[in-house]
């Protein structure tokens, strides 16, 4: 198994894309800490599924938008797994509104969870990731096509996800010599609770723009993330892998 012996922290691993990533990394041999914010039942179910695969799994609650909570999460993950070799910054939220109606709280929550959370966790995980001197470590940040092209009604989310791309490239340049490879994955429309919350008419309109003519599945993203965490991606850093059925090409 290509990720045997790896120790991964997946933020927002209780549902949707994060759940799929946690399961795929476990299938490939990694032990996993999944983080969640409020839904402990969903998190416990993912832990049970990973344990069925014969891997170690622990669920840790933390709001990644809070620097101190993110620090406690990283410490808890390192203690639970005996180190950290993979970090997937996946936790994210949307609060879609046109700018005229966008309240300060809509802006702050989305930027502080998506972009702030990525900084909060990565900054406090770096020392542990650097301890893997010989084998190196991987970080994958989940951004969005919204951060590449800009989406009306998502000024907060587009800004946060574009920020994650800048953060990915800057940190990849800082840490490549220290064997930490940092990339981003940009999903298009993927079937999860997040897209279930969108009006069907809006989804239908958007699907007309997807050359592959289908909504993406969680597995489309988890396979891309697992590839970036594996041996086949050992010369890839600072990249944004777009997984969107051709939407933004
Ligand atoms: P989702 O189904 O809504 O799941 C979100 C996950 O993030 C849940 O596990 C949730 O935990 C966790 N979370 C939310 N806020 C958090 C916080 N403050 N601290 C810690 N965990 C938190 O979302 P998804 O569709 O899987 O999206 C996952 C990632 O992919 C996000 O970064 C999203 O922006 C990105 N993305 C999604 C799509 C898409 O079409 N779905 C497209 C592009 C990018 P609880 O269960 O405890 O709430």
């Amino acid at each position: 198994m290509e990720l045997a012996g790896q120790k991964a922290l997946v933020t927002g691993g209780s549902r949707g894309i994060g759940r799929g990533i946690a399961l795929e990394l476990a299938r490939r041999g990694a032990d996993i800490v999944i983080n969640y914010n409020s839904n402990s039942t969903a998190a416990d179910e993912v832990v049970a599924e990973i344990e069925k695969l014969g891997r170690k799994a622990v669920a840790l609650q933390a709001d990644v938008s809070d620097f101190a909570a993110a620090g406690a999460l990283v410490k808890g993950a390192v203690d639970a797994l005996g180190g950290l070799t993979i970090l997937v910054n996946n936790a994210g939220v949307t609060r879609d509104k046109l700018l005229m109606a966008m309240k300060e709280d809509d802006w702050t929550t989305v930027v502080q969870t998506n972009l702030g959370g990525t900084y909060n966790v990565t900054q406090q995980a770096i020392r542990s990731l650097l301890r893997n001197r010989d084998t190196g470590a991987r970080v994958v940040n989940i951004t969005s096509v919204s951060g590449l092209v800009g989406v009306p009604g998502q000024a907060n989310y587009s800004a946060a996800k574009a920020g994650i791309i800048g953060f990915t490239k800057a940190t990849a340049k800082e840490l490549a010599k220290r064997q930490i490879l940092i990339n981003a994955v940009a999903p298009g429309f993927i079937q999860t609770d997040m897209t279930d919350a969108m009006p069907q008419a809006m989804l239908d309109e958007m699907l007309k723009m997807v050359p592959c003519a289908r909504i993406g599945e969680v597995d489309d993203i988890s396979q891309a993330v697992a590839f970036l965490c594996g041996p086949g991606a050992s010369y890839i850093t600072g990249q944004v892998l777009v997984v969107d059925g051709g939407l933004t090409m």
Side-chain angles (χ1 to χ4, degrees):
M1 283 195 283
E2 65 178 46
L3 296 183
Q6 302 294 326
K7 300 158 187 193
L9 168 60
V10 181
T11 70
S14 53
R15 292 187 287 117
I17 291 171
R19 174 180 175 279
I21 292 168
L23 286 168
E24 186 54 31
L25 296 182
R27 272 183 216 110
R28 296 186 189 208
D31 291 334
I32 315 282
V33 165
I34 59 157
N35 149 255
Y36 67 99
N37 187 25
S38 55
N39 194 336
S40 64
T41 310
D44 290 343
E45 282 168 14
V46 182
V47 166
E49 282 190 64
I50 293 174
E51 285 173 345
K52 268 193 230 154
L53 295 166
R55 306 306 336 151
K56 182 170 185 169
V58 175
L60 294 178
Q61 190 284 331
D63 178 350
V64 297
S65 70
D66 179 305
F67 186 77
L73 167 65
V74 170
K75 183 177 182 319
V78 170
D79 289 349
L81 300 177
L84 206 57
T85 64
I86 293 172
L87 167 63
V88 182
N89 286 301
N90 164 80
V93 291
T94 49
R95 296 274 188 282
D96 294 358
K97 279 182 190 118
L98 293 175
L99 183 61
M100 291 244 297
M102 190 175 283
K103 300 275 187 287
E104 189 184 357
D105 182 56
D106 299 321
W107 173 266
T108 310
T109 301
V110 169
V111 172
Q112 195 50 27
T113 304
N114 290 277
L115 179 57
T118 299
Y119 160 76
N120 289 343
V121 178
T122 311
Q123 202 279 334
Q124 296 180 90
I126 279 302
R127 279 191 176 75
S128 299
L129 294 169
L130 280 170
R131 289 206 181 99
N132 311 296
R133 279 177 206 282
D134 300 332
T135 47
R138 305 288 168 90
V139 178
V140 180
N141 299 320
I142 306 301
T143 176
S144 167
V145 292
S146 185
L148 291 172
V149 298
V151 173
Q154 291 195 324
N156 48 3
Y157 187 73
S158 290
K161 292 304 197 185
I164 287 175
I165 294 171
F167 180 82
T168 299
K169 292 180 179 182
T171 52
K173 281 186 179 167
E174 278 184 33
L175 290 155
K177 274 196 199 120
R178 313 283 300 272
Q179 308 254 49
I180 303 184
L181 305 182
I182 306 181
N183 292 289
V185 169
F189 298 112
I190 309 298
Q191 183 87 56
T192 67
D193 293 347
M194 193 177 268
T195 37
D196 287 349
M198 291 168 75
Q200 189 57 46
M202 191 183 190
L203 262 181
D204 290 343
E205 264 324 290
M206 287 178 164
L207 274 179
K208 284 185 197 155
M209 298 184 288
V210 179
C212 285
R214 67 166 174 90
I215 190 163
E217 293 170 11
V218 164
D219 201 43
D220 294 317
I221 307 305
S222 36
Q223 293 296 331
V225 172
F227 163 70
L228 289 171
C229 294
S234 61
Y235 199 50
I236 301 176
T237 197
Q239 301 305 303
V240 183
L241 178 50
V242 181
V243 184
D244 68 351
L247 174 68
T248 56
M249 69 179 163

